[in-house]
Amino acid sequence: MKEIHLLKRMAQTLMSGQSRQTYDPWRPQWHLSPLVGLMNDPNGFIQHNGRYHLFYQWNPLACAHGAKCWGHWSSADLVHWRHEPVALLPVERYESHGCYSGSAVADNGVLTLIYTGNVKYDDGSRTAYQCLATENADGEFDKLGPVLTLPEGYTGHVRDPKVWRYQDCWYMVLGAQDATLQGKILLYRSDNLRQWQLLGEIAGSRLNGLGDFGYMWECPDLFPLDGWDVLICCPQGLAAEDERYLNTYQSGYFVGHLEGEQGRFTHQAFNELDHGFEFYAPQTTLSDDGRRLLFGWMGVPDQNEFQQPTIAHGWIHTMTCPRELTLRDGRLYQLPARELQRLRLREYQWQGTASYAPALPAGSAELSLDIQGEFQAHFADQMTLNWDGERLSLSRRHRLTGEPEHRYWRGTTLYHLQILCDRSSVEIFINHGQAVMSSRYFPDGDATIRFQGSGSILLRHWLLSPCVIE
């Protein structure tokens, strides 16, 4: 009965939402966004039987966080997507307050979801169950229930299982908070996805040479890349510094080596994955052609998200573009997935001093810039990218206070930018993927990008075709 009630309310929300989307100036043309309601973490990103699947945290009933379900898109090419049936609804006792984030694997050819069932109690406490669901012949998912309860010595904040197969075993990393309120990453092993053995804490606050490093680590992802092991995670509770850790919560990675049998992960320093205003909860998959691909949520929880004007149109948040990951000199490089080049329309080129460059349309566009010297790029006069020869800064007005706010990247030099624009978002790839700045902004009309500065630039500009989501 609860499932039927939820489905009726979802149908009502979807139908009423159509009237608010007749003119929506901030709806992306090729990024993934929810039809209605609030979307956040990417979940279950996988290529299965030649088709990509991307699930996502979704509250279809309101632009608010609540008891999330799993929405579901699929694609043959990472460019054109279609809606699939909603995969998970929070209707069972072990998921009463949401089907929280998780991952997907192919188990003997069957697409299988591993997710956190979130349960909250009237006294303010909570618990978590790690649960399974398997795809049936109709393309829907049958729940198998919990396979892992709350481990001893941890609070109810244990969630976001990422599972992979290595040799003859399954492995899982889980985000956790221990009883002393320190964030940790737990490593588990299983022969069958049903019974799990805890191998130990492989990373976290006060481990592996780290001092205090956050009270909760969310959304872990551990994978091999170019001879190393990379752990992506989202530590909550890091103190802001002058030029880093400036978002409410951080998303970053460690490079190291995993000794799975011993439950150890030796790693280097923590690096942020994205230097922009909006980026969180990334998840990766290995494509059939051997690439490590990533989607992130272009948002940050508890960071003025409900000041975004798309709420007036009944929806909030988008995904990033899909990205390809490589490792160079111990650092992750990110570039837009090569498939996105199919969106390019006619190319325009210009070369000269930045201040003399023409203003260019930036509603749905890609720019490639070779740069020598100082310059600024202004996005619809609402957000500015400035390179002063030493530091790249991205600036805009705080949506609540109106005060200027900034994000930074500092490198030895800046010589190239690749910028992807889509109505209300900008993704800036620095020096062929050395760093990224992802941010939302909300132009008053048709967005343009204009340039200033004494530096010289060689620019290429493409308008991007819209992507129909079926």
Side-chain angles (χ1 to χ4, degrees), residues 186-226:
L186 310 181
L187 179 68
Y188 284 83
R189 181 177 58 201
S190 173
D191 294 328
N192 55 15
L193 294 178
R194 273 70 171 174
Q195 289 84 36
W196 291 91
Q197 174 192 3
L198 177 61
L199 299 179
E201 297 176 347
I202 61 166
S205 182
R206 302 179 184 173
L207 291 178
N208 302 337
L210 287 178
D212 289 342
F213 212 78
Y215 56 79
M216 173 64 194
W217 285 25
E218 292 192 313
C219 304
D221 192 349
L222 182 59
F223 53 87
L225 188 64
D226 299 330

Side-chain angles (χ1 to χ4, degrees), residues 91-98 115-119 127-129 131-132 143-146:
V91 297
E92 306 294 341
R93 59 167 182 78
Y94 53 80
E95 57 188 17
S96 59
H97 289 75
Y115 68 99
T116 298
N118 183 45
V119 177
T127 193
Y129 300 91
C131 310
L132 290 185
K143 294 175 182 174
L144 304 183

Side-chain angles (χ1 to χ4, degrees), residues 164-171 189-192 196 261:
W164 70 98
R165 191 164 183 83
Y166 177 68
Q167 295 180 348
D168 295 327
C169 290
W170 295 102
Y171 289 86
R189 181 177 58 201
S190 173
D191 294 328
N192 55 15
W196 291 91
E261 296 298 321

Side-chain angles (χ1 to χ4, degrees), residues 415-433:
Y415 56 86
H416 185 267
L417 293 174
Q418 183 179 4
I419 302 174
L420 298 181
C421 305
D422 192 5
R423 302 291 289 278
S424 59
S425 69
V426 175
E427 292 173 87
I428 302 164
F429 295 83
I430 302 164
N431 291 348
H432 302 292

